[in-house]
Amino acid sequence: MTEKTIFSKIIAGEVPCDEVYQDSKCLAFRDIQPQAPIHILVIPKKAIPSLKEVSASDKELLGHLLLIASDLAKKEGLENWRTVINTGAEAGQTVFHLHLHVIGGRPLNWPPG
Ligand code: DGP
């Protein structure tokens, strides 16, 4: 059996989180190592390792995650924000459970490092 990721443990309630939203398909909580005043992670409850492993059957779920990210950014009062999905270790992915970062509350430079 594949080892549970920290995010699967958070979904299962085995590890606490600072939750901001959840529904039947996703959970959103504050990042433990925030990179900006607002830094929320939106994750599917389905354990998909990364954007590499998605398929057409995940279309609705992926759209749902983006809509929730947008709602939460607006609820946090953000006018400008960045939505990031790191895919693969060399792109900065450290937790292999698909997640969207919603980052804002300070000016954000481009390109990212
Ligand atoms: P990434 O590098 O894209 O895989 O982002 C993983 C993020 O997850 C990183 O910003 C730190 C955050 N993180 C890791 N472990 C925990 C945890 O136990 N709780 C919370 N809230 N965030 C975590």
Side-chain angles (χ1 to χ4, degrees), residues 6-7 10 15-18 29-35 39 41 84-87 91-97 99 101:
I6 188 76
F7 290 175
I10 288 174
V15 169
C17 72
D18 186 356
F29 52 91
R30 295 190 193 281
D31 196 295
I32 208 167
Q33 295 171 313
Q35 301 302 316
H39 189 163
L41 300 171
V84 174
I85 303 177
N86 294 323
T87 304
Q93 187 175 6
T94 57
V95 179
F96 287 81
H97 181 120
H99 51 282
H101 295 259

Side-chain angles (χ1 to χ4, degrees), residues 2 4 33 70 83 92 102:
T2 327
K4 260 188 175 184
Q33 295 171 313
S70 173
T83 311
V102 177

Side-chain angles (χ1 to χ4, degrees), residues 27-111:
L27 173 67
F29 52 91
R30 295 190 193 281
D31 196 295
I32 208 167
Q33 295 171 313
Q35 301 302 316
I38 306 292
H39 189 163
I40 291 169
L41 300 171
V42 183
I43 73 174
K45 289 190 173 172
K46 179 180 173 186
I48 303 170
S50 81
L51 207 55
K52 251 182 247 173
E53 288 79 17
V54 297
S55 66
S57 64
D58 296 313
K59 198 175 186 173
E60 196 182 322
L61 175 61
L62 293 170
H64 183 71
L65 297 175
L66 278 174
L67 287 171
I68 295 301
S70 173
D71 284 352
L72 292 176
K74 287 180 275 187
K75 268 193 197 122
E76 294 287 326
L78 297 175
E79 297 271 349
N80 307 273
W81 69 86
R82 187 167 294 162
T83 311
V84 174
I85 303 177
N86 294 323
T87 304
E90 286 185 16
Q93 187 175 6
T94 57
V95 179
F96 287 81
H97 181 120
L98 178 66
H99 51 282
L100 281 71
H101 295 259
V102 177
I103 299 166
R106 66 164 170 84
L108 297 166
N109 296 325
W110 192 262

